[in-house]
Amino acid sequence: MFDNYYRKDIEWGGKTLTLETGKVARQADGAVMARLGDTIVLCTVVGARNVKPGQDFFPLTVNYQEKAFAAGKIPGGFFKREGRPSENETLVSRLIDRPIRPLFPEGFRNEVQVVATVLSHDLENNPDVVAMVGCSAALTISGIPFFGPIAGARVGYAGGEYILNPTMEQVKTSELDLFVAGTAEGVLMVESEAKELSEAVMLGAVEFGHKSFQPVIQGIIELAERAAKEPWPLTEASDAERALKARIAELGTAEMTEAYKETVKQSRYAKVGAVKKAIAEKLEAEGYDAAAAKGLMKGLEADVVRNTILDTGIRIDGRDTKTVRPIVAEVGVLPRAHGSSLFTRGETQAFCVATLGTGQDEQIIDALAGEYRESFMLHYNFPPYSVGETGRMGSPGRREIGHGKLAWRAIRPLLPEKDKFPYTIRVVSEITESNGSSSMATVCGTSLSLMDAGAPLKRPCAGIAMGLIKEEKGFAVLSDILGDEDHLGDMDFKVAGSEQGITALQMDIKITSITFEIMRIALDQAKDGRIHILGEMAKGLSGSRGEVAATAPRITVIQVPKDKIREVIGTGGKVIREIVEQTGTKIDIEDDGTIKIASSSPEATQAAIDRIKGITAEAEVGAIYNGTVVKVADFGAFVNFLGAKDGLVHISELAQDRVARTGDIVSVGDKVKVKVIGFDDRGKVKLSMRTVDQASGADISEQVGAKRPRADGEPEGGDRGGERGPRREREGFRGGDRGPRRRED
C-alpha cells in the first residue's frame, strides 16, 4: 500500500535522527515525519501551481503547532482544544521561516505553506530542532523550487565546552542557548541568549553548530535522491522584462541617486516617490507594462543604495559605515510609573515603561513540557503611526512577538536573582518612531526603565543592529542600520549585551550565506557600537537607583517554619484572607515557608508581619509580651498574648498581694503585660502579671521574690471555685485557637 515509503536514519550527536516519507500526508507536495528520540514532528509542504494576478511578493507561510496529546495532556480552557498559537509556537514558526525564505528563487511568487505539527514530545529533545530539519526535508523532496536543503542545531555551552542539542534540563544550566541554521555552504540564521559571553565564544558556537549539522544535510540529500518528486520548472526573466529593467535604469538611476542624498527620512521618501512617479509616466507613454515596472523599480532602489555605499563608503543619511546615530536617553518621564524611559536614536524611538508587581502577577504558562510561571514579561508594540502610516490596531503580530522576545532574551541574563529582588516585572515598549532597529532600541529603553524603577540590574544592557552590503566587488558592514538599509541589504545582525559580554545575538542572512570572517568583523564592529551606546545611556542613568520607586510596592520577605504554613493560611484560606483584608497588603506564601508581603505602606507591612509572627511564633519562657484579657474565671484570667495564642494567668500570679477575686484585678478587654513562666503537662502556657511592671513592662521578678504561698484551702492550680459535686466542669485553655469546652471527671 505504501509503495513510495522511504526512510533515512542519520547518526547525529550520539542519537538517531529518522526521516520518513511516503506513509503519512501523501497528498501534500512534500511530507516528512522527523524523529529524534521520542520527539516526533510531521512536516508538510504544499505549493500553489499558479500565481495570483498582480501579486508582487512571495507568499510563504510557516505554521508550527504543538498538539497537547504529544505530551499526554488535555488542553486547558473551556473548550478543551488547541486555540490560537502560543508565543512559543509563533516564535518557532518564525525560526523556521527565516532561514528557508532566502532559498526560494528570486521572482518566485507561488503561494507556499509549510506546516510542522508536533505529534510526540519526550520532554528531552526540543521539537523546534526536529521541526526545522523535517521542514527542510519536506521542501527538498516536494519539487517546489528550493535551493536547500538546510539544517539546524541547538548549541549549549558549559564548562568551556560546546554541547550539541542539549536536553531541556541541560539548557537550564547552560551559559548559552543558541539556535543556528544554514546550508552546507554557510549560516543563514542565528537566534540566541547568553550569559555575557565574549564575541569569540559566540562565533565559536555558530561555527560548532554549522559543522555539527552537516551530516543532517547529507542525509536529507540522500533521502531526496530516492524520494524527491519532479522539480517544478523555473520561470526565467523574459527578454521583455530584461529590456524593461534596463530602460528603468536609464530613466531613473541619476534621479534616484540624487533623491537618496536626502538625509531626512520623510523628505527622502517624498523625493523617491516623485522619481518613481516620473519614471512610471515615461514608461507608460512608451507603452511599457506599468504593473511590471512597479516591481522592477525596487531593484533600481537597491542598486543605487548598495553601489553608493560600496563605492563611496557614505550611507543614505550621510554617515560612514561605523558611526552610530545621535542618542538621547531620558528616564523618569512618567510621574506615576514605577520606571520609565524615552530612548531616541536618530529617527528611532522607544517609550519603555516598567511595572513592578508581586508573585500574584506572574504569568502562568501552560506549555507542552509542563506548566510554569514567568516573572519577567516584555511586551513590544509597533503602532502604524511610528512610521507615519495608517493601519490596523489589534493583537500583536508575529513580528511584534519576535522583537519583544529578542529584547527579553537580551535583558533576562542581567536581572537580579529572585531571592534578592522578589518582584514580578513587566516592561512595555511602545515604538513611537521607527527608522532602524526598534528591537535594539527596546533593549536600551528597557534597561533604562528597569534601573529607573530601582531594579538592581547586574549591568546596563544595550543593543545595536548591523547590516551588510555584499557584491562581487566587495562588501561593507554597516553599524546601526536604517530601515532602508535593512530592507535593501543582505544581512540583519543584532547584538545586545553589557560591557562585559553578549547576552543576545540574532542574525538573518538574505543571501545564500556569508563567511565566518564577515561574521567576525560584524561582531567586533558591533562591540564598539554597543560600548558607545552604553556610554550615551549613562548620561541619562548609569545604574539602578538603589531603591524601588515610591509608587511601587515594597516587598518584604520573611521565613516561617514549613509546619506553620497551614496555620498562617487557615482553614480554606480564612486566616490569610483576614490578614490581607485588614492590613491592605498582598501576601504570597511558598511551599518552603517563604512569605512575601507587598505594600506601599511600611505600617501595613509591619502589621502583616506582626500578625504572621504572632501565628507562627513560639512562646519563650522568661519573655514579656503585651496581651489582652479574653476571659475571666474564678481561678485566673486567660490572656491572648501572641497572635492567636492564649495563656492562663493563675489567680496567684495576678498581683503581688493575695487576690480574693479575679475580677477585682482584671476584666475582659484589659490590656496587660505578661511574662511566660512555664508550661503545664499538656504544653499550655502559664503566664504571670505580678512579675511584670504593668506601667513600664519591666521584669520585676527579682524584686517580688518567689511565688507567694497559697492561702489555706486554696486548691493547687486554682481550678476549683468551691465544691461543685462529684462532677465538675472547667474551661480548658489552649496555646492556639480556642476550641470547644471540655468535660473532665
Side-chain angles (χ1 to χ4, degrees):
M1 182 175 180
F2 303 113
D3 296 334
N4 296 317
Y5 172 78
Y6 300 98
R7 170 174 172 156
K8 178 66 181 177
D9 292 329
I10 306 166
E11 291 304 314
W12 189 27
K15 300 179 182 179
T16 300
L17 172 68
T18 301
L19 303 176
E20 296 181 352
T21 187
K23 181 185 288 188
V24 179
R26 291 173 294 168
Q27 296 184 49
D29 289 320
V32 170
M33 191 89 79
R35 176 171 184 166
L36 186 65
D38 283 339
T39 295
I40 302 174
V41 184
L42 172 63
C43 304
T44 64
V45 177
V46 175
R49 295 289 174 172
N50 299 305
V51 181
K52 292 180 180 178
Q55 189 158 273
D56 61 351
F57 66 96
F58 173 39
L60 170 66
T61 304
V62 177
N63 294 104
Y64 167 87
Q65 53 187 6
E66 297 176 335
K67 298 299 182 181
F69 61 71
K73 298 174 61 178
I74 295 175
F78 183 78
F79 294 104
K80 296 300 177 185
R81 69 175 297 164
E82 292 82 2
R84 60 181 295 179
S86 67
E87 180 181 273
N88 183 64
E89 288 173 311
T90 299
L91 293 170
V92 177
S93 296
R94 284 172 50 87
L95 202 68
I96 298 170
D97 182 300
R98 286 155 49 194
I100 66 174
R101 187 175 290 272
L103 298 182
F104 289 89
E106 184 178 357
F108 185 68
R109 298 291 183 264
N110 300 59
E111 183 176 1
V112 175
Q113 184 178 43
V114 179
V115 179
T117 306
V118 180
L119 302 179
S120 177
H121 187 4
D122 60 11
L123 307 184
E124 179 179 343
N125 298 289
N126 202 313
D128 55 7
V129 174
V130 185
M132 174 78 75
V133 172
C135 290
S136 171
L139 279 166
T140 303
I141 68 173
S142 68
I144 297 172
F146 176 68
F147 300 144
I150 67 164
R154 175 168 270 101
V155 179
Y157 184 73
E161 300 290 334
Y162 295 115
I163 306 169
L164 175 62
N165 293 330
T167 65
M168 299 181 74
E169 283 299 316
Q170 288 176 313
V171 168
K172 294 178 182 178
T173 58
S174 174
E175 296 180 66
L176 173 68
D177 182 11
L178 181 142
F179 197 110
V180 55
T183 62
E185 291 75 28
V187 174
L188 289 170
M189 186 275 297
V190 176
E191 186 78 39
S192 65
E193 178 183 337
K195 295 181 179 178
E196 296 183 285
L197 297 178
S198 69
E199 281 72 13
V201 170
M202 296 297 289
L203 183 58
V206 176
E207 291 183 279
F208 173 81
H210 180 257
K211 181 179 179 181
S212 298
F213 62 58
Q214 295 307 311
V216 177
I217 291 178
Q218 184 58 38
I220 294 174
I221 293 173
E222 292 174 7
L223 177 69
E225 288 173 348
R226 300 170 59 196
K229 297 180 179 178
E230 286 297 317
W232 293 16
L234 283 175
T235 303
E236 297 184 0
S238 63
D239 292 340
E241 185 176 329
R242 284 191 287 268
L244 176 57
K245 184 176 181 180
R247 183 57 180 154
I248 289 173
E250 290 175 10
L251 292 173
T253 298
E255 290 80 359
M256 192 68 76
T257 301
E258 189 64 28
Y260 266 102
K261 290 181 180 179
E262 174 59 58
T263 58
V264 179
K265 176 183 174 182
Q266 298 299 333
S267 300
R268 180 171 64 250
Y269 279 14
K271 290 184 178 181
V272 169
V275 172
K276 289 181 178 179
K277 182 179 179 181
I279 295 173
E281 290 174 350
K282 292 178 181 178
L283 291 172
E284 191 172 356
E286 295 175 8
Y288 287 101
D289 183 353
K294 181 180 178 182
L296 293 175
M297 276 191 275
K298 294 180 180 178
L300 173 63
E301 287 186 77
D303 290 341
V304 166
V305 171
R306 295 165 66 88
N307 288 320
T308 299
I309 292 173
L310 290 176
D311 294 340
T312 67
I314 303 300
R315 297 158 62 180
I316 297 173
D317 59 355
R319 288 180 293 153
D320 60 26
T321 58
K322 296 182 179 181
T323 299
V324 177
R325 289 170 290 172
I327 291 172
V328 178
E330 303 172 66
V331 296
V333 291
L334 298 179
R336 297 297 298 172
H338 299 164
S340 58
S341 70
L342 183 64
F343 179 84
T344 307
R345 185 193 61 234
E347 295 171 306
T348 300
Q349 188 178 73
F351 214 135
C352 297
V353 185
T355 306
L356 305 180
T358 67
Q360 298 174 22
D361 299 310
E362 290 181 338
Q363 183 180 15
I364 301 173
I365 299 176
D366 185 16
L368 199 59
E371 184 178 288
Y372 66 95
R373 291 176 176 266
E374 181 56 64
S375 60
F376 174 46
M377 296 160 278
L378 198 158
H379 298 147
Y380 165 103
N381 298 311
F382 192 88
Y385 67 76
S386 64
V387 288
E389 297 177 356
T390 59
R392 183 186 65 86
M393 298 284 288
S395 57
R398 287 187 172 190
R399 179 181 179 277
E400 289 175 298
I401 292 173
H403 281 32
K405 193 66 174 182
L406 174 59
W408 181 89
R409 290 191 180 104
I411 295 293
R412 190 173 72 146
L414 297 170
L415 292 175
E417 288 76 13
K418 191 72 174 175
D419 58 346
K420 296 181 181 178
F421 194 72
Y423 287 89
T424 296
I425 301 171
R426 180 183 185 237
V427 177
V428 177
S429 173
E430 295 287 336
I431 303 303
T432 49
E433 293 182 31
S434 181
N435 184 19
S437 178
S438 53
S439 63
M440 294 298 96
T442 294
V443 171
C444 301
T446 297
S447 177
L448 290 166
S449 68
L450 286 173
M451 293 190 296
D452 184 50
L457 292 184
K458 296 173 184 176
R459 278 163 289 279
C461 185
I464 187 170
M466 311 296 293
L468 173 70
I469 304 295
K470 184 174 181 287
E471 297 285 356
E472 290 185 2
K473 59 183 175 182
F475 70 89
V477 175
L478 314 178
S479 295
D480 180 24
I481 55 175
L482 301 173
D484 287 337
E485 292 169 339
D486 181 9
H487 177 65
L488 302 174
D490 298 321
M491 177 181 74
D492 184 9
F493 192 89
K494 297 171 182 174
V495 187
S498 69
E499 60 181 9
Q500 294 196 8
I502 294 172
T503 57
L505 170 63
Q506 184 185 86
M507 182 179 72
D508 290 300
I509 305 300
K510 303 171 187 177
I511 52 180
T512 53
S513 64
I514 63 170
T515 65
F516 286 106
E517 177 61 19
I518 292 176
M519 288 183 61
R520 185 191 62 76
I521 293 172
L523 279 169
D524 290 342
Q525 196 166 315
K527 181 179 181 180
D528 293 339
R530 186 174 82 246
I531 298 302
H532 168 75
I533 294 171
L534 285 168
E536 295 299 301
M537 289 168 56
K539 296 177 182 178
L541 188 62
S542 60
S544 173
R545 294 198 182 279
E547 62 177 7
V548 297
T551 53
R554 262 60 171 181
I555 296 181
T556 303
V557 181
I558 62 174
Q559 198 77 26
V560 302
K562 292 171 66 175
D563 58 358
K564 297 291 183 180
I565 294 176
R566 290 179 62 186
E567 297 180 31
V568 176
I569 295 173
T571 305
K574 179 177 182 294
V575 174
I576 196 66
R577 281 199 305 270
E578 287 180 354
I579 297 174
V580 169
E581 291 170 2
Q582 294 172 10
T583 62
T585 59
K586 288 186 177 181
I587 301 177
D588 296 320
I589 303 177
E590 299 180 5
D591 293 340
D592 64 353
T594 300
I595 298 181
K596 300 173 184 176
I597 304 166
S599 175
S600 57
S601 167
E603 293 78 12
T605 298
Q606 190 58 50
I609 291 173
D610 291 344
R611 290 285 301 274
I612 293 171
K613 286 187 174 180
I615 295 170
T616 60
E618 297 291 343
E620 299 180 24
V621 175
I624 294 173
Y625 300 92
N626 293 318
T628 303
V629 178
V630 293
K631 186 173 183 179
V632 174
D634 293 340
F635 51 82
F638 291 97
V639 176
N640 175 236
F641 71 100
L642 190 60
K645 290 182 174 62
D646 292 348
L648 173 66
V649 181
H650 188 265
I651 192 170
S652 63
E653 292 292 339
L654 284 173
Q656 298 176 27
D657 299 325
R658 184 179 183 281
V659 178
R661 292 177 62 253
T662 303
D664 294 339
I665 304 299
V666 294
S667 301
V668 173
D670 286 354
K671 303 297 183 183
V672 297
K673 295 178 174 59
V674 294
K675 177 181 178 180
V676 178
I677 57 175
F679 304 89
D680 67 9
D681 56 2
R682 292 178 298 170
K684 307 305 181 181
V685 184
K686 296 192 291 186
L687 303 173
S688 171
M689 287 174 54
R690 74 184 187 91
T691 57
V692 182
D693 186 317
Q694 294 299 307
S696 65
D699 188 343
I700 57 173
S701 55
E702 293 184 359
Q703 301 175 27
V704 301
K707 179 180 178 182
R708 65 166 179 80
R710 294 193 307 276
D712 293 342
E714 183 179 336
E716 177 67 36
D719 58 354
R720 286 198 187 108
E723 289 298 326
R724 298 185 183 177
R727 295 175 63 87
R728 60 193 180 277
E729 183 176 276
R730 67 186 289 273
E731 281 287 344
F733 63 87
R734 302 159 311 283
D737 56 335
R738 289 187 290 280
R741 296 170 64 91
R742 183 186 343 230
R743 289 184 179 273
E744 293 185 356
D745 288 336

